[in-house]
Amino acid sequence: MIDWLPAVIVMAVCIIIAVARILIGPGAPTRLVAFDTTNTLVVASMVIVGMMFNHAIFIDVAIVYALLSFTMTLYVAKFIGGSKF
Amino acid sequence: MALNIVTYIFIGVGLFFNLIGVVGLHRFPDMYTKLHAATKCTTFGSIFLIIAVIMQAAGIWAQGGTSQSVMCIHAVLVLVALLVTNATGAHAIARAAHRSGEKPARAVVDDLEGKEND
Amino acid sequence: MKFLITTVVAYLAYLLLTIGSGTVFLWSTAELVIGAVLAVAVGALLRNRFIGKDLRMLNPRRWLTILVYLFPLLFAMAKANIDVAYRVITGRINPAIVKINPNLKTDLALTILANSITLTPGTLSVDVDQKTNELYVHWINVDPEVLKDMPRDYHPICHSFPDWARRIAE
């Protein structure tokens, strides 16, 4: 069996560094970039956690999270770009 | 055993590229170069991590696991969703940032400068 | 025809998502029935949105071309990531936004090309001119040879990807 715990810990450190960029980043576009990165990392770690605990429900949640975060990125980008909804 | 060694290599490569992407988010000067580091490196690293999970799940599935079949196929779906949505999201962010007046730092040439089209 | 294609695609997607839930082959009876009802509803509502004017993507040769295209794309992605990792560590950048004209006509081909440019070495597509089908590309380490003449040469930016996109979608 593979030991997945160190991988999850490194992914958590990555997420914390990206969230720090959301908090300090100058301007809305930089924050949006950091937010998009955080979403990708959260999806990958969710898949790993699902494999670690042997529950397929984590991976289902990861699919829905990926698609919803994509929609949210598109709408926030539209808002920043100043076009009409 | 060979499967486990390949899986460890894939996890190592994936974590390395994720770390590079997140560090690039702090090292690059402006938003466009940050988008380069963030999009490419984290997409590539996450692909490697998910492929490692798929290989392990398929290995247990071949030995007679039951819940691993669902896990394997759904992980493939996550992979496809990530590949399609990340590149498109990057386009949306770059276009919106340029329209909101964000200038590329240290740029040599900017062909899009002052051009408004929609 | 449009209704049939949309319904079949929606039903296949539903079956992929609920695989392994029961005993009829791999699915339970309830999932099969609910999936069929939902797929018919989706096909009736969205048939004009999902499929555009023509049906040329039904040709199986184009699907085979997509599968072959994945290999040069994956190779280019690996090169791109090593390049970006090098630039993160050394901090050596020389960025510019350049305009290229890849001579593509359909929207799908342009989408494929833009996604490929984003995933390959040091380039990121920023904007598109919808009248002339020109792409604006952010380039992290610009080549001074390309900046000399105004209709930019696109081969240093995206190699042979416009030809692949034309083969897939035109």
Side-chain angles (χ1 to χ4, degrees):
Chain A
M1 288 298 284
I2 291 267
D3 190 9
W4 296 98
L5 192 60
V8 177
I9 292 172
V10 176
M11 290 298 283
V13 172
C14 287
I15 291 173
I16 289 171
I17 298 173
V19 168
R21 184 41 91 178
I22 297 183
L23 294 180
I24 63 178
T30 311
R31 290 196 167 105
L32 184 56
V33 172
F35 179 72
D36 196 38
T37 312
T38 314
N39 283 332
T40 312
L41 294 174
V42 167
V43 170
S45 21
M46 241 180 221
V47 173
I48 297 176
V49 168
M51 188 67 203
M52 190 169 85
F53 291 136
N54 215 351
H55 278 301
I57 191 73
F58 281 99
I59 301 179
D60 295 343
V61 174
I63 297 175
V64 177
Y65 188 91
L67 297 177
L68 278 182
S69 70
F70 169 62
T71 318
M72 180 164 170
T73 302
L74 282 189
Y75 271 93
V76 177
K78 264 198 146 178
F79 173 68
I80 290 175
S83 50
K84 293 193 174 60
F85 283 92
Chain B
M1 279 309 104
L3 185 68
N4 280 2
I5 293 169
V6 176
T7 309
Y8 275 123
I9 292 172
F10 271 45
I11 291 174
V13 172
L15 290 180
F16 172 74
F17 277 113
N18 273 340
L19 269 178
I20 284 289
V22 174
V23 170
L25 208 57
H26 285 261
R27 266 186 71 90
F28 278 147
D30 74 325
M31 182 248 137
Y32 297 98
T33 41
K34 273 174 187 147
L35 197 55
H36 271 282
T39 316
K40 281 176 198 165
C41 289
T42 52
T43 308
F44 200 63
S46 302
I47 286 172
F48 268 91
L49 286 174
I50 294 173
I51 287 177
V53 169
I54 290 171
M55 286 195 309
Q56 278 296 310
I60 301 175
W61 186 14
Q63 288 167 10
T66 49
S67 70
Q68 271 77 16
S69 62
V70 181
M71 215 177 270
C72 187
I73 291 163
H74 284 199
V76 174
L77 287 178
V78 174
L79 191 62
V80 173
L82 268 188
L83 258 182
V84 175
T85 58
N86 258 332
T88 318
H91 298 168
I93 296 173
R95 181 179 149 114
H98 204 285
R99 295 207 172 174
S100 76
E102 185 98 359
K103 295 279 180 295
R106 290 197 251 154
V108 189
V109 177
D110 191 352
D111 282 348
L112 191 53
E113 180 79 58
K115 190 167 158 58
E116 280 300 322
N117 51 349
D118 44 353
Chain C
M1 192 65 193
K2 281 179 181 176
F3 168 73
L4 200 65
I5 295 166
T6 315
T7 308
V8 168
V9 170
Y11 197 42
L12 283 181
Y14 192 88
L15 289 185
L16 262 183
L17 277 171
T18 57
I19 199 165
S21 59
T23 51
V24 188
F25 301 111
L26 282 170
W27 298 273
S28 61
T29 325
E31 294 280 11
L32 287 175
V33 173
I34 294 172
V37 172
L38 286 178
V40 169
V42 168
L45 285 174
L46 296 180
R47 61 177 180 275
N48 290 323
R49 292 224 157 208
F50 184 64
I51 295 179
K53 291 186 176 58
D54 47 17
L55 298 171
R56 68 157 76 94
M57 285 310 287
L58 274 183
N59 189 344
R61 222 185 73 226
R62 296 180 189 275
W63 290 90
L64 279 179
T65 317
I66 291 178
L67 282 185
V68 175
Y69 176 54
L70 282 182
F71 291 100
L73 188 66
L74 278 178
F75 183 69
M77 271 180 79
K79 259 197 332 192
N81 284 282
I82 292 165
D83 183 64
V84 173
Y86 167 76
R87 289 187 199 291
V88 168
I89 292 166
T90 60
R92 195 175 296 160
I93 57 168
N94 191 17
I97 293 184
V98 296
K99 178 171 82 171
I100 61 169
N101 190 356
N103 290 322
L104 295 172
K105 289 178 200 68
T106 58
D107 285 349
L108 182 62
L110 212 57
T111 310
I112 292 172
L113 178 65
N115 271 341
S116 309
I117 283 177
T118 301
L119 291 172
T120 49
T123 48
L124 175 81
S125 38
V126 174
D127 208 342
V128 61
D129 191 338
Q130 283 177 349
K131 294 187 197 80
T132 54
N133 283 346
E134 285 164 330
L135 281 175
Y136 295 90
V137 178
H138 183 270
W139 200 355
I140 199 169
N141 187 29
V142 73
D143 184 1
E145 289 293 313
V146 179
L147 294 180
K148 282 175 187 159
D149 43 353
M150 191 46 208
R152 317 275 195 210
D153 181 19
Y154 61 75
H155 284 102
I157 297 177
C158 47
H159 313 293
S160 60
F161 291 147
D163 303 329
W164 282 101
R166 194 170 298 130
R167 240 171 279 160
I168 290 173
E170 280 187 9

